[in-house]
Amino acid sequence: MTWLALALLAALVLLPVLLATLRPPRPRGRAEADRALYAAQIAELDTQRAEGRLDEAAHRAALVEVQRRLLNAPAPEESEATLRPAPALLLALALIPAAAVGTYLWRGTPGMPSATLAQRNEAVSRDDTLIATLRERLARADINSEMGRQGWILVGNAERNRGRFAEAAKAWTRALSARFDPGLAGDLAEVEIERGALEEARRWLGEALAAQPGDPRLRFLSGMVEARAGRPENARATWRALLADAPADAPWRELVEARLRALP
C-alpha cells in the first residue's frame, strides 16, 4: 500500500466525522450518548470475536463488563445541545490524516509480524506466574486488613478478565469475608451467573439488595438469575418493576427492554 493510499484511507475514515460537523446541530442528551458509546463497544467486541482476536470466554466477560457499566451509568438531569464546531475543529480534522501519515513514516514498523502462538502462550504463562505470586503473598497477609482485602479484589479482577470465573468467585468471596460491599457482591453475582452457579448468585444478590434495594444493576441481575433458572415469569416481573421505577431516559432502559423481549 502506498503512502498516498494510506492518506486517502485516513481521509475516508474521517469523512463521516467531517460531515457530522457540518450537519445542522440537533439535541443530544447524555443518555443517548451513553447508549451510542456502549453500542459501539459491544459492536467492537463482536468484531474482535468474529476475527478471532477474542475467544468466547473473553468476549463474554468483556460483554458483561460493558453491560455492567451501562447499568451503572447515572441518568442525566437534562439534555445538552450539540454545538456547531469551530473553524479550528475543521482545520484539525483536515490535519489529522497528514499528521498520522507523518508519524507512521517516522516511527512506524509495517514489517512487524503479529504475535506467534508461542508468544501468546508465554504471555499467558507470565500472567499465571504473577497471579500465583500475588496469591502466595496474600496467603501470608491478614485477610481482614485493607491491603489483604484489596489484594483479593485485584486477583478477582484479573481472573474475571481472563474468563476464569470460578477463580474470580473464590477471590472475591475472600474479599467479601473481610468486609461486605454491595457493589463487589454484584460483581461476584455476575460471575456466578456466568458459570451457572445460580443459587450462589441469588444469595449474594439478596444480601446486596438488602443493603441497596433500589440499585438498578442488582435488580437487573436478579432478573438474570430468574431467566437463567428457567423462571421467565419471575424475570419478567422483576424487569418490569425495574423499568417502572427507572427514569424515561435511563441509558440502560433499552438493554432491559431487549432482555424482556427475549424472554419466552
Side-chain angles (χ1 to χ4, degrees), residues 208-230:
L209 282 167
Q212 294 182 351
D215 187 288
R217 174 187 170 225
L218 298 175
R219 296 172 67 183
F220 172 78
L221 290 174
S222 294
M224 285 291 296
V225 170
E226 296 301 318
R228 294 283 181 91

Side-chain angles (χ1 to χ4, degrees), residues 6-7 22 25 27 42 53-55 61 120 122 135 210 241 244 252:
L6 283 173
L22 297 175
I42 291 173
R53 290 182 285 158
L54 280 180
D55 59 22
R120 292 195 294 270
E122 183 182 354
R135 287 179 179 276
W252 40 264

Side-chain angles (χ1 to χ4, degrees), residues 25-151:
R26 67 181 182 87
R28 184 181 181 88
R30 178 179 173 185
E32 184 181 353
D34 283 343
R35 286 193 294 269
L37 173 61
Y38 295 126
Q41 291 175 335
I42 291 173
E44 175 62 20
L45 290 173
D46 291 341
T47 299
Q48 291 182 11
R49 180 181 60 177
E51 294 176 351
R53 290 182 285 158
L54 280 180
D55 59 22
E56 285 297 328
H59 174 269
R60 186 168 58 251
L63 186 61
V64 168
E65 176 63 19
V66 172
Q67 292 177 342
R68 182 181 67 83
R69 291 199 300 267
L70 176 59
L71 284 166
N72 283 336
E77 295 182 359
E78 59 182 4
S79 297
E80 298 177 359
T82 303
L83 302 178
R84 185 176 295 278
L89 176 58
L90 299 178
L91 178 62
L93 288 174
L95 291 177
I96 285 174
V101 171
T103 302
Y104 187 74
L105 285 171
W106 175 42
R107 303 285 293 186
T109 53
M112 179 178 292
S114 59
T116 65
L117 177 60
Q119 289 171 326
R120 292 195 294 270
N121 288 338
E122 183 182 354
V124 172
S125 178
R126 286 198 303 269
D127 290 343
D128 288 339
T129 301
L130 287 173
I131 293 177
T133 301
L134 180 56
R135 287 179 179 276
E136 290 176 3
R137 293 180 179 177
L138 289 172
R140 297 191 296 268
D142 181 5
I143 184 60
N144 294 314
S145 68
E146 189 59 23
M147 183 182 71
R149 178 177 175 275
Q150 290 298 329

Side-chain angles (χ1 to χ4, degrees), residues 183-198:
L184 183 59
D187 292 339
L188 177 52
E190 282 185 351
V191 299
E192 296 288 27
I193 291 171
E194 288 302 316
R195 71 190 192 98
L198 299 180

